[in-house]
Short mmCIF file of all heavy atoms in Angstrom, two decimals:
data_model
loop_
_atom_site.label_atom_id
_atom_site.label_comp_id
_atom_site.label_asym_id
_atom_site.label_seq_id
_atom_site.Cartn_x
_atom_site.Cartn_y
_atom_site.Cartn_z
N ALA A 33 10.23 48.50 -20.34
CA ALA A 33 10.61 48.28 -18.94
C ALA A 33 9.96 46.99 -18.35
O ALA A 33 10.56 46.25 -17.67
CB ALA A 33 10.17 49.47 -18.09
N GLY A 34 8.72 46.77 -18.75
CA GLY A 34 8.01 45.54 -18.28
C GLY A 34 8.71 44.26 -18.76
O GLY A 34 8.75 43.30 -18.00
N ALA A 39 12.19 39.59 -16.93
CA ALA A 39 13.37 38.77 -17.06
C ALA A 39 14.08 38.62 -15.68
O ALA A 39 14.70 37.59 -15.40
CB ALA A 39 14.34 39.38 -18.04
N ALA A 49 3.40 43.03 -7.39
CA ALA A 49 3.62 44.41 -7.83
C ALA A 49 2.44 44.94 -8.57
O ALA A 49 2.04 46.13 -8.43
CB ALA A 49 4.88 44.46 -8.71
N PHE A 56 -2.89 51.41 -5.23
CA PHE A 56 -2.62 52.86 -5.29
C PHE A 56 -3.38 53.60 -6.31
O PHE A 56 -3.23 54.83 -6.43
CB PHE A 56 -1.12 53.08 -5.44
CG PHE A 56 -0.36 52.86 -4.14
CD1 PHE A 56 0.12 51.61 -3.82
CD2 PHE A 56 -0.08 53.89 -3.29
CE1 PHE A 56 0.80 51.39 -2.67
CE2 PHE A 56 0.61 53.72 -2.13
CZ PHE A 56 1.07 52.41 -1.78
N SER A 62 -11.30 55.18 -4.58
CA SER A 62 -12.73 55.61 -4.78
C SER A 62 -13.67 54.47 -4.39
O SER A 62 -14.70 54.68 -3.72
CB SER A 62 -12.96 56.04 -6.23
OG SER A 62 -14.27 56.33 -6.46
N ASP A 63 -13.36 53.24 -4.85
CA ASP A 63 -14.21 52.06 -4.50
C ASP A 63 -14.21 51.80 -3.02
O ASP A 63 -15.22 51.49 -2.42
CB ASP A 63 -13.72 50.81 -5.26
CG ASP A 63 -13.93 50.94 -6.75
OD1 ASP A 63 -14.72 51.82 -7.21
OD2 ASP A 63 -13.33 50.13 -7.51
N LYS A 84 5.65 49.10 5.96
CA LYS A 84 5.60 48.03 7.04
C LYS A 84 4.17 47.56 7.23
O LYS A 84 3.75 47.48 8.41
CB LYS A 84 6.28 48.55 8.30
CG LYS A 84 7.72 48.88 8.16
CD LYS A 84 8.34 49.36 9.43
CE LYS A 84 9.77 49.64 9.22
NZ LYS A 84 10.37 50.27 10.45
N LEU A 87 -1.05 51.16 5.82
CA LEU A 87 -1.51 52.01 4.73
C LEU A 87 -1.56 53.46 5.15
O LEU A 87 -2.24 53.75 6.16
CB LEU A 87 -2.87 51.52 4.27
CG LEU A 87 -3.36 51.89 2.87
CD1 LEU A 87 -2.43 51.38 1.78
CD2 LEU A 87 -4.74 51.33 2.66
N LEU A 88 -0.84 54.32 4.52
CA LEU A 88 -0.81 55.75 4.90
C LEU A 88 -1.68 56.52 3.94
O LEU A 88 -1.49 56.51 2.76
CB LEU A 88 0.59 56.30 4.91
CG LEU A 88 0.78 57.73 5.28
CD1 LEU A 88 0.26 57.97 6.68
CD2 LEU A 88 2.22 58.16 5.16
N GLN A 98 -10.35 63.34 10.38
CA GLN A 98 -11.22 62.82 11.46
C GLN A 98 -12.33 61.97 10.90
O GLN A 98 -12.65 60.89 11.45
CB GLN A 98 -11.85 64.03 12.20
CG GLN A 98 -10.84 64.68 13.12
CD GLN A 98 -11.47 65.82 13.92
OE1 GLN A 98 -12.34 66.52 13.41
NE2 GLN A 98 -11.10 65.90 15.15
N LEU A 100 -12.40 60.20 8.07
CA LEU A 100 -11.78 58.93 7.62
C LEU A 100 -11.46 58.04 8.85
O LEU A 100 -11.64 56.84 8.79
CB LEU A 100 -10.58 59.18 6.77
CG LEU A 100 -10.80 59.80 5.45
CD1 LEU A 100 -9.53 60.29 4.75
CD2 LEU A 100 -11.53 58.88 4.50
N ARG A 113 -10.02 42.66 2.20
CA ARG A 113 -10.89 41.82 1.37
C ARG A 113 -10.52 41.96 -0.10
O ARG A 113 -10.45 40.97 -0.85
CB ARG A 113 -12.38 42.14 1.60
CG ARG A 113 -13.35 41.16 0.91
CD ARG A 113 -14.80 41.61 1.10
NE ARG A 113 -15.13 42.78 0.29
CZ ARG A 113 -15.29 42.79 -1.08
NH1 ARG A 113 -15.06 41.69 -1.72
NH2 ARG A 113 -15.59 43.89 -1.66
N ARG A 114 -10.31 43.16 -0.56
CA ARG A 114 -10.06 43.38 -2.00
C ARG A 114 -8.60 43.03 -2.40
O ARG A 114 -8.35 42.75 -3.60
CB ARG A 114 -10.39 44.84 -2.33
CG ARG A 114 -11.80 45.21 -2.31
CD ARG A 114 -11.97 46.71 -2.54
NE ARG A 114 -13.37 47.02 -2.29
CZ ARG A 114 -14.16 47.57 -3.19
NH1 ARG A 114 -13.72 47.78 -4.45
NH2 ARG A 114 -15.38 47.86 -2.94
N PHE A 115 -7.70 43.12 -1.47
CA PHE A 115 -6.31 42.89 -1.74
C PHE A 115 -5.72 41.87 -0.75
O PHE A 115 -4.85 42.20 0.04
CB PHE A 115 -5.55 44.20 -1.69
CG PHE A 115 -6.03 45.23 -2.66
CD1 PHE A 115 -6.92 46.19 -2.28
CD2 PHE A 115 -5.64 45.19 -3.99
CE1 PHE A 115 -7.34 47.16 -3.13
CE2 PHE A 115 -6.08 46.11 -4.88
CZ PHE A 115 -6.95 47.11 -4.45
N ARG A 129 0.76 67.48 2.45
CA ARG A 129 1.61 68.62 2.42
C ARG A 129 1.28 69.51 1.23
O ARG A 129 1.07 68.96 0.16
CB ARG A 129 3.10 68.18 2.38
CG ARG A 129 3.47 67.41 3.62
CD ARG A 129 4.92 67.01 3.56
NE ARG A 129 5.23 66.23 4.79
CZ ARG A 129 5.62 64.98 4.77
NH1 ARG A 129 5.73 64.32 3.63
NH2 ARG A 129 5.88 64.33 5.92
N PRO A 130 1.27 70.81 1.40
CA PRO A 130 0.93 71.69 0.30
C PRO A 130 1.93 71.66 -0.85
O PRO A 130 3.01 71.22 -0.74
CB PRO A 130 0.82 73.08 0.88
CG PRO A 130 1.28 72.98 2.25
CD PRO A 130 1.50 71.57 2.59
#
Side-chain angles (χ1 to χ4, degrees):
F56 283 87
S62 175
D63 291 345
K84 297 181 182 175
L87 199 59
L88 181 59
Q98 286 182 321
L100 291 167
R113 187 184 71 73
R114 291 175 189 241
F115 301 96
R129 298 182 180 117

